[in-house]
Amino acid sequence: MKTLASLLCSFSWQELRHHPWRNAAAMVSVMLGVALAFSVHLINASALDEFAQAVRSVGGQPDLELRAGAGLTGGVDEVLLARMIHHSDVAVASPVLELSTYALLPQPNATAAPADQPQRVLLRIMGVDPLQVAQLSPDLLPLPDTSANRLDIFAPATVFLNAAARSRLTGNTLQLQRGMQVAAVQVAGSVRASGAPLAVMDIAAVQDFFDLDNRITRVDLRLRAGVDRAAFVRSLQANADWPAQARLVEPGDALTRMSTLSRAYRVNLTVLALVALFTGGFLVFSVLALSVSRRAPQLALLGVLGLTSTQRLQLVLLEALVLGLVGSVLGIALGGGLAALALRLLGGDLGGGFFSGAAPALQWSWPAALAFAALGVLAALVGAWWPARWAQGLPPAQTLKGLGTAQVNHNHGVLALALLLAGGMMALLPPVAGIPLAAYVSVGLILVGGIAGLPWLVGVVLDRIAPQVAYRALPLLAVERARRVRGSAAVAVSGVVAALSLAVALTVMVASFRHSVTQWLDSVLPADLYVRTATHTSALDAAYFDPAFVQAAQRLPGVQRLSPQRNQQFLPDPNLPAVVLIARPLTGPLSSSLPLTVGPLPIPPGQIGIYVSEAMVDLHGARPGTTLPSLSDHFRALALVESTQPTTFFIAGVWRDYSRQFGTIAMDLADFQRLSGDNRVNDLAIWLEPGVDVNALEHALRDLANRQAGTPGGNAARLMEFGSAREIRATSLRIFDRSFAVTYWLQAVAIGIGLFGVAASFSAQVLARRKEFGLLVHLGLTRRQVLRVVAAEGLAWTSLGALAGVGLGLSVAVVLVHVVNPQSFHWTMELTVPVLRLLALAAAVVAAGTLSAWLAGRAAAGRDAVLAVKEDW
């Protein structure tokens, strides 16, 4: 048994050693597939780990968190805080107030124009009770500097910064934005909390500084020893006087929401990274199938000498195992290096924007490394299974006589049709836990089914071409050979068909998305100039325009019309990320202000019409023609006076929003202001009079901001950002391209592997036909004519492969565009086919295949080709 194992290993080693380039194609494909998938996993895991550490650092370790359920701006009633403080089962109740604003960086050049000044820094503000915070969130405990007074932790307008804020904001004084005002605060010390820039203040100081009355975001609770957490929650909720909007939640729900927010992006990136590994499996199949076909006499001889059919199967699988192991080990090493480099250069963002600004350290995971290495080995073994079965089924005696070979030209038409139908059915299934798992399986079945049907496609096409070249010797010779060995042709091009189809699918998906985003931007950017002061959703309540500024701006010379917009975060479901409530004038035809997909429906009397994005329909069941009770609860909490009759919000339409993945609600600004009493504005859309100088109007708005702040020539002008429709459109498309940069790289790698594989496959096939070329030369064909035949075969095979790849790619693109994207990101788009780019991809495949066949033919049809015939004399 030991001798037999040694023989198998020796035979496999000789095969791998004597054909390094052919086997390198399969090995490199496995390596790149494992490297890309593992690097994407490491980057996302490192970013999530960094975010989790920051959440734990800021949130501490309470037993429960008391939050308001009406919305993120509602806050916790002080009556509930007092109730928790005096509850017999509560040991500690620590109130927390969270918000974000901007800190202005110092101006290095006082004479520079406002547009040239340093940008603001988004700063998270945490208001805490210094006497209680150490027991629940020790990382938020203010640590005064040696020169500061210990009582500064209670002082107004005094902050304590974490390390990230200290590195960005120097000096002992900070300029913080408060509406369109700039107010100074003193830096008195530090906190140990990690994460993004953070400032900690006394909670009463925050309420006074930002004029927030008695608002509290949450209350952290530590229960007394022995108190059952679940029983405590049930006892409170069972009380008749417990508010329905008050929520007692487990700590760390922010981490859960962030994980949910980025999950679809991370899963789709990982699946796309596995594209190369999927292609690698087909290349292993192609390489080993050709190897088995070429070595059929040797395998048959081993069978005659006593090697069983099972041992021949094990021999081929052993070669695949070696390819998979070496490729996976190299892939893990390469993936770790790529992840470390990406984290250093790009942070944990990868273009998605979910972890923007974070630069986490690489979090190596041996279980993940072993799992992705196992995936690489599994891909190689799966790709080798059918070639191994062909080797197992070789009839030794007939094969030695040249009557039996590894037949790969069986008609799998029925199997191909069944796989394609199964793929179509899987595409109709709903997502699982928000992930389009069935759609991914559908893509795999379509690809495998299409490749299984390649022999049938080769036969159908070449059967119709053959009569057209019946009287031309060289083309007839090329077509007839490709026609008679259609199974070998299918094997040779299977890898490139897989790579090309996936490249085509990704190209069509990205082009469709980009085209839809471009049209959407044209629809939602009708004004000439846009002005905003809050560039991040967390700062909407601290960075805003007041009504006096809006009215004065509307009276400026050159302003034809002005449309204000108020944005507010809203949390209808605590288990999902927040949605954005947009309030702006919705007068006139809605088609000119909202890109509606469904509606508008007539609004019933006495109700208020709202328009939801597609994500609201998928995630919150907000369907047209129904009402949204959670929004009624939100406005009841915001109202200055408790309303006896809640307002009913009628969903009158659905609109397309590509900028917010988890939902948007649009309503008329007048209704929002009447119900909430909130007259603040975050964005201004301005239509200009003909011939007005945009730069002059920007300077006028900056001067207006300084005058109203009481500081002519001061810092208030630096609190605004301007952009024309053209500039915003260009910036948005630039962000889009950055978000899909990883997709472009994955697409390039997949098609590169496919081209490398087709070159290796044709080289192997042509080099194995030296006897055939010797016979052709012996019969009178010149070397140039033999090369023309070989090139014609390569052209025929790769043309059919390109045709199949484009067809399969378009089928997969339909699933990606109409199933995967809506199920993952909750928005729809129109299918756009970039014909020129697809033709260029197909032409590259055909050219590479033809050139590689010609180059391999030159080596096989050399001067000694005739001597190869002597082996049969």
Side-chain angles (χ1 to χ4, degrees):
M1 190 70 181
K2 183 177 181 180
T3 304
L4 179 60
S6 300
L7 177 64
L8 292 177
C9 292
S10 176
F11 194 78
S12 298
W13 170 249
Q14 293 300 323
E15 170 62 20
L16 296 172
R17 187 170 67 89
H18 284 94
H19 302 90
W21 290 107
R22 185 188 65 209
N23 295 309
M27 188 184 303
V28 168
S29 64
V30 173
M31 178 190 72
L32 290 177
V34 171
L36 289 172
F38 185 52
S39 63
V40 169
H41 169 80
L42 284 181
I43 292 168
N44 286 316
S46 300
L48 273 178
D49 183 76
E50 183 80 6
F51 182 79
Q53 291 182 19
V55 168
R56 287 191 293 268
S57 178
V58 173
Q61 296 297 325
D63 294 321
L64 290 169
E65 293 178 357
L66 174 62
R67 291 182 177 270
L72 293 182
T73 58
V76 177
D77 194 333
E78 281 196 321
V79 175
L80 286 180
L81 171 61
R83 183 172 176 179
M84 291 298 99
I85 291 175
H86 296 98
H87 198 286
S88 59
D89 290 337
V90 176
V92 180
S94 177
V96 179
L97 174 56
E98 300 178 64
L99 57 90
S100 293
T101 188
Y102 294 96
L104 274 67
L105 290 171
Q107 290 181 262
N109 184 3
T111 62
D116 299 327
Q117 297 304 315
Q119 61 183 1
R120 303 169 292 173
V121 174
L122 182 67
L123 185 65
R124 187 179 182 184
I125 307 293
M126 298 285 292
V128 300
D129 182 350
L131 300 179
Q132 301 284 353
V133 70
Q135 302 181 62
L136 294 177
S137 303
D139 286 345
L140 293 180
L141 177 65
L143 302 174
D145 291 336
T146 54
S147 59
N149 190 314
R150 288 183 299 174
L151 296 180
D152 282 347
I153 59 177
F154 302 102
T158 303
V159 298
F160 299 80
L161 305 180
N162 71 344
R166 285 274 193 178
S167 65
R168 299 287 302 276
L169 306 168
T170 58
N172 296 322
T173 303
L174 294 184
Q175 301 290 328
L176 299 185
Q177 180 173 356
R178 186 174 58 188
M180 286 299 291
Q181 304 281 335
V182 177
V185 295
Q186 297 296 318
V187 179
S190 61
V191 292
R192 293 193 299 266
S194 60
L198 170 72
V200 174
M201 300 176 66
D202 176 69
I203 188 170
V206 176
Q207 294 170 339
D208 180 66
F209 187 85
F210 290 98
D211 193 22
L212 296 177
D213 298 325
N214 297 317
R215 183 185 299 177
I216 300 172
T217 304
R218 72 172 195 263
V219 179
D220 294 339
L221 302 177
R222 172 73 56 80
L223 303 182
R224 297 189 183 278
V227 175
D228 181 79
R229 185 160 36 188
F232 173 77
V233 173
R234 287 194 301 269
S235 66
L236 286 178
Q237 294 176 341
N239 291 334
D241 59 345
W242 182 258
Q245 289 77 32
R247 297 185 295 113
L248 285 166
V249 298
E250 299 287 339
D253 61 341
L255 177 60
T256 302
R257 285 198 299 270
M258 174 54 72
S259 179
T260 302
L261 183 67
S262 63
R263 182 179 58 188
Y265 181 76
R266 291 182 283 116
V267 170
N268 278 277
L269 267 186
T270 302
V271 171
L272 290 179
L274 290 173
V275 163
L277 193 57
F278 182 87
T279 306
F282 277 102
L283 287 184
V284 171
F285 163 75
S286 176
V287 166
L288 292 181
L290 295 175
S291 175
V292 169
S293 179
R294 182 184 58 81
R295 293 183 295 161
Q298 302 173 30
L299 294 171
L301 179 59
L302 290 175
V304 172
L305 295 176
L307 199 67
T308 66
S309 60
T310 301
Q311 289 165 345
R312 293 197 298 270
L313 179 141
Q314 293 172 351
L315 176 66
V316 178
L317 291 180
L318 179 61
E319 295 174 11
L321 179 63
V322 173
L323 292 175
L325 280 175
V326 175
S328 296
V329 170
L330 295 176
I332 292 299
L334 178 61
L338 289 176
L341 181 63
L343 288 173
R344 177 176 297 180
L345 298 179
L346 304 174
D349 190 15
L350 273 186
F354 300 106
F355 307 106
S356 182
L362 179 67
Q363 299 294 325
W364 181 268
S365 171
W366 281 111
L370 293 176
F372 281 96
L375 277 178
V377 173
L378 179 63
L381 291 176
V382 170
W385 176 249
W386 282 111
R389 290 295 304 272
W390 296 333
Q392 182 184 30
L394 282 174
Q398 291 89 334
T399 303
L400 285 175
K401 295 178 182 179
L403 302 177
T405 58
Q407 297 298 321
V408 296
N409 57 346
H410 300 297
N411 185 4
H412 298 295
V414 176
L415 176 62
L417 181 60
L419 290 172
L420 291 173
L421 290 176
M425 295 297 294
M426 292 295 291
L428 302 177
L429 297 180
V432 179
I435 302 298
L437 296 179
Y440 295 141
V441 175
S442 169
V443 169
L445 290 174
I446 290 173
L447 289 173
V448 175
I451 292 173
L454 279 178
W456 172 84
L457 176 65
V458 171
V460 168
V461 175
L462 293 183
D463 286 347
R464 283 158 177 74
I465 293 178
Q468 308 299 322
V469 296
Y471 301 102
R472 303 177 62 185
L474 295 183
L476 178 62
L477 185 62
V479 170
E480 283 298 326
R481 189 186 185 285
R483 182 185 176 194
R484 302 301 175 185
V485 292
R486 64 187 65 177
S488 297
V491 169
V493 300
S494 61
V496 76
V497 169
L500 180 61
S501 59
L502 290 167
V504 167
L506 293 178
T507 299
V508 173
M509 182 196 71
V510 174
S512 300
F513 199 4
R514 200 178 196 279
H515 178 72
S516 298
V517 168
T518 301
Q519 289 187 324
W520 176 76
L521 289 171
D522 293 338
S523 175
V524 299
L525 296 174
D528 301 310
L529 182 66
Y530 292 86
V531 189
R532 65 177 181 176
T533 183
T535 59
H536 196 277
T537 54
S538 62
L540 294 174
D541 289 331
Y544 54 85
F545 301 111
D546 56 35
F549 180 86
V550 176
Q551 295 171 5
Q554 196 160 9
R555 294 192 295 268
L556 288 176
V559 176
Q560 184 183 75
R561 181 162 63 94
L562 184 147
S563 177
Q565 177 173 300
R566 173 72 169 116
N567 302 327
Q568 187 179 81
Q569 285 189 296
F570 166 50
L571 191 65
D573 187 341
N575 298 317
L576 294 173
V579 304
V580 176
L581 177 63
I582 295 178
R584 67 184 188 188
L586 295 179
T587 56
L590 282 175
S591 58
S592 62
S593 56
L594 288 177
L596 293 176
T597 62
V598 177
L601 301 177
I603 302 171
Q607 299 185 19
I608 294 177
I610 60 173
Y611 303 88
V612 299
S613 67
E614 295 169 306
M616 289 294 299
V617 179
D618 291 344
L619 297 176
H620 300 279
R623 305 195 178 279
T626 63
T627 60
L628 194 63
S630 59
L631 189 59
S632 302
D633 296 336
H634 176 67
F635 274 100
R636 187 184 300 115
L638 292 179
L640 300 178
V641 179
E642 182 70 20
S643 174
T644 57
Q645 182 66 32
T647 305
T648 302
F649 294 91
F650 179 80
I651 303 173
V654 178
W655 62 292
R656 188 167 290 163
D657 182 12
Y658 289 129
S659 62
R660 304 168 186 90
Q661 179 185 336
F662 281 88
T664 315
I665 303 172
M667 65 179 298
D668 189 71
L669 181 62
D671 291 330
F672 175 86
Q673 293 177 340
R674 175 173 55 84
L675 294 172
S676 66
D678 185 353
N679 294 321
R680 295 173 294 179
V681 172
N682 300 113
D683 302 314
L684 300 176
I686 302 175
W687 284 261
L688 305 180
E689 298 283 356
V692 172
D693 183 6
V694 176
N695 292 328
L697 182 60
E698 290 182 12
H699 284 294
L701 287 168
R702 294 183 191 276
D703 291 339
L704 174 63
N706 284 327
R707 288 198 307 272
Q708 290 200 345
T711 56
N715 287 323
R718 300 169 57 199
L719 304 180
M720 294 184 292
E721 293 189 8
F722 297 87
S724 65
R726 178 181 298 178
E727 292 170 345
I728 297 174
R729 184 177 182 273
T731 301
S732 300
L733 292 178
R734 192 161 52 248
I735 294 173
F736 175 91
D737 292 334
R738 181 173 180 265
S739 300
F740 280 91
V742 177
T743 304
Y744 296 141
W745 279 106
L746 293 174
Q747 175 184 343
V749 169
I751 195 64
I753 292 175
L755 293 177
F756 187 41
V758 76
S761 298
F762 278 122
S763 298
Q765 284 213 4
V766 171
L767 290 174
R769 293 166 55 194
R770 292 179 67 250
K771 294 180 183 180
E772 177 185 334
F773 298 147
L775 179 60
L776 292 177
V777 174
H778 186 75
L779 294 176
L781 268 68
T782 65
R783 184 168 180 267
R784 177 173 296 182
Q785 288 173 324
V786 171
L787 292 178
R788 287 173 58 188
V789 171
V790 173
E793 289 181 20
L795 177 63
W797 289 5
T798 50
S799 297
L800 291 173
L803 178 64
V806 172
L808 281 178
L810 291 175
S811 301
V812 172
V814 172
V815 177
L816 294 179
V817 170
H818 294 302
V819 181
V820 172
N821 272 288
Q823 291 184 0
S824 296
F825 304 107
H826 314 292
W827 47 53
T828 59
M829 64 188 77
E830 302 298 329
L831 187 69
T832 301
V833 180
V835 177
L836 293 179
R837 262 182 284 173
L838 299 188
L839 289 176
L841 282 174
V845 170
V846 173
T850 305
L851 180 61
S852 63
W854 182 81
L855 291 175
R858 289 190 61 186
R863 294 182 178 180
D864 59 342
V866 178
L867 298 179
V869 186
K870 290 178 60 179
E871 299 175 13
D872 292 333
W873 293 355

